[in-house]
């Protein structure tokens, strides 16, 4: 139950992110992202220092650091685009990106890791592709925000799968690699008179600082939960976040959700349903592991 509660709390926080970033709508997205990196590093370093120390740093190889540098670049792009899209009124499309993301990860597994899909999984990918094509045709444009979020996060997930390092330690390295560019950017904006920290409401300053906490906290909760509950349950819970994001966009911030969009999203949801049902069915058929 503790694992389920921790994982659900992580996806709940991720799902309510639009509300948080909307509170910072007056701050440029690049500055929000830079503050997020700086304060996230401080919170993660504090957590690791209290929990396990930093002896694990000696085990980092140059290859692993290079992989984490690539994942850091991808996640920073993902963070910036997501924050910009939320505050530009595209929350519904960001939710689409995270609905698509699991299926993008499946395709990356096929194309890059040479994994094989069964008939149900190929059906799910095909139905999702129909949904994206329908949304493109109806909207007269490619849903590039959704696709960019899905591709950047899917690529990030692929690298983190290949880079063997615990989640929080990996985040510490990624934040450390991004810290100097982020701090330099914030200093440059301050010198140029365009900085947002300490020049307005105290509420904005507090939100910028705690942005690091709300970045690190769900990842810590997810790491705790993923170790204690079956992977199939994690797979189902992951749809909680984009569902909440969609609800925030439509119900809280009044973004349009037309019948045409509902049909396109319906294809994505059907694809996810097929994919999730296949995963659960295969998990139940798998023979139990007998420990001698």
């Amino acid at each position: 139950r503790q694992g389920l509660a921790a994982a659900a709390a992580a996806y709940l926080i991720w799902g309510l992110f639009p509300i948080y970033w909307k509170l910072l709508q007056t701050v440029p997205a690049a500055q929000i992202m830079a503050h997020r990196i700086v304060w996230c590093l401080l919170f993660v370093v504090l957590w690791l220092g209290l929990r396990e120390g930093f002896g694990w740093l000696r085990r980092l190889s140059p290859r692993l650091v290079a992989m984490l540098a690539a994942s850091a670049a991808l996640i920073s792009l993902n963070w910036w685009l997501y924050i910009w899209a939320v505050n530009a009124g595209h929350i519904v499309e960001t939710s689409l990106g995270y609905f698509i993301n699991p299926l993008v990860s499946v395709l990356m597994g096929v194309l890059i890791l040479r994994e094989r899909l069964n008939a149900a999984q190929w059906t799910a990918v095909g139905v999702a592709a129909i949904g994206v094509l329908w949304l493109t045709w109806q909207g007269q444009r490619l849903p590039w925000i959704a696709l960019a979020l899905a591709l950047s996060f899917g690529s990030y997930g692929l690298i983190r799968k290949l880079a063997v390092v615990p989640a929080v330690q990996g985040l510490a390295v990624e934040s450390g690699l991004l810290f100097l560019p982020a701090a330099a950017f914030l200093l440059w904006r301050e010198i140029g008179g365009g900085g947002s920290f300490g020049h307005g409401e105290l509420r904005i300053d507090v939100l910028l600082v705690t942005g690091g906490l709300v970045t690190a906290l769900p990842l810590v909760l997810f790491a705790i939960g993923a170790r204690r509950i079956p992977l199939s349950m994690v797979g189902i819970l992951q749809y909680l976040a984009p569902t909440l994001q969609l609800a925030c966009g439509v119900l809280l911030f009044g973004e349009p959700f037309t019948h045409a969009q509902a049909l396109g999203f319906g294809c994505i949801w059907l694809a996810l349903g097929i994919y999730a049902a296949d995963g659960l069915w295969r998990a139940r058929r798998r023979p139990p592991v007998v420990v001698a």
Side-chain angles (χ1 to χ4, degrees), residues 138-214:
Q138 286 294 319
Q140 299 298 307
R141 70 174 183 87
L142 194 69
W144 66 270
I145 295 173
L147 293 175
L149 287 172
L151 287 170
S152 60
F153 198 75
S155 301
Y156 171 79
L158 174 65
I159 293 175
R160 289 302 302 269
K161 176 180 175 64
L162 299 174
V164 183
V165 59
V168 181
Q169 294 178 8
L171 179 62
V173 176
E174 289 167 343
S175 301
L177 292 169
L178 294 170
F179 178 82
L180 286 180
F185 171 74
L186 292 174
L187 180 61
W188 172 68
R189 295 302 298 149
E190 284 293 327
I191 293 173
S196 301
F197 189 79
H199 300 292
E201 299 178 56
L202 177 62
R203 175 181 65 89
I204 297 296
D205 297 342
V206 171
L207 287 170
L208 287 172
V209 172
T210 53
L213 179 61
V214 299

Side-chain angles (χ1 to χ4, degrees), residues 247-289:
C248 286
V250 176
L251 301 178
L252 291 182
F253 300 111
E255 291 190 14
F257 190 67
T258 64
H259 293 297
Q261 284 177 299
L263 186 56
F265 269 76
C267 288
I268 305 297
W269 293 331
L270 176 59
L272 293 174
I274 295 170
Y275 177 71
D278 176 71
L280 289 173
W281 180 74
R282 286 185 292 111
R284 289 180 178 178
R285 288 191 63 196
R286 192 175 298 125
V289 177

